[in-house]
Amino acid sequence: EWAATSFPIPPAIASQAVDIEFLWVAGSLEPAGATPNVKIVPTHTYETCPRDVDLVLVGGPLVSHRPEKSLEFFRDIFGKEEKGKEGRGKGKDGVVLMTTCTGSMWVAASGVLDGRKCTTNRMALQRAGITGGSAGSPRPVGG
């Protein structure tokens, strides 16, 4: 409904839009910084976030950002990965993992990507081996 009233989208297309509930997860409920100088108020902490999600999108923080609670969260959500349709990796209960920038390095530090094929930012390939975790053979994406 918001999109239909905010953008000039033909009603026939807008009526097919899927409602999505976005959860912003962090170590606390304090406003979290993001680039470029954006503050986002988390909806949940790593401990309080529901585990029955369909997709987890992990952004690329500083390579030094690896809170233990976040790693536990990743292990809880993706601890028992299995092969999904068309060879795509899915977490337990079919949760899909997507990362941007260096987010795959953050998730890899939790160990849930061990032995899995994954991608990371081309500029991050050299650092991928020094941040913890063993993500198989990272394939570069983008720039």
Side-chain angles (χ1 to χ4, degrees), residues 66 71 74-75 104-113 131-134:
R66 302 288 183 267
L71 303 179
F74 296 144
R75 286 189 285 268
S104 59
M105 292 167 47
W106 184 9
V107 177
S110 71
V112 301
L113 297 181
T131 59
S134 170

Side-chain angles (χ1 to χ4, degrees), residues 24 32-40:
W24 185 273
T35 56
N37 201 23
V38 173
K39 296 285 184 184
I40 300 173

Side-chain angles (χ1 to χ4, degrees), residues 2-69:
W2 174 81
T5 59
S6 301
F7 301 103
I9 300 172
I13 294 174
S15 67
Q16 297 177 44
V18 177
D19 284 331
I20 298 175
E21 178 183 6
F22 287 91
L23 308 177
W24 185 273
V25 186
S28 76
L29 295 178
E30 295 298 316
T35 56
N37 201 23
V38 173
K39 296 285 184 184
I40 300 173
V41 179
T43 58
H44 296 82
T45 65
Y46 298 117
E47 296 89 357
T48 65
C49 182
R51 292 334 196 226
D52 62 339
V53 297
D54 297 314
L55 182 143
V56 176
L57 173 61
V58 180
L62 296 173
V63 295
S64 61
H65 182 79
R66 302 288 183 267
E68 184 56 37
K69 292 290 183 184

Side-chain angles (χ1 to χ4, degrees), residues 90-103:
K90 291 190 176 184
K92 59 185 181 182
D93 300 325
V95 178
V96 174
L97 170 65
M98 292 177 58
T99 66
T100 63
C101 196
T102 58

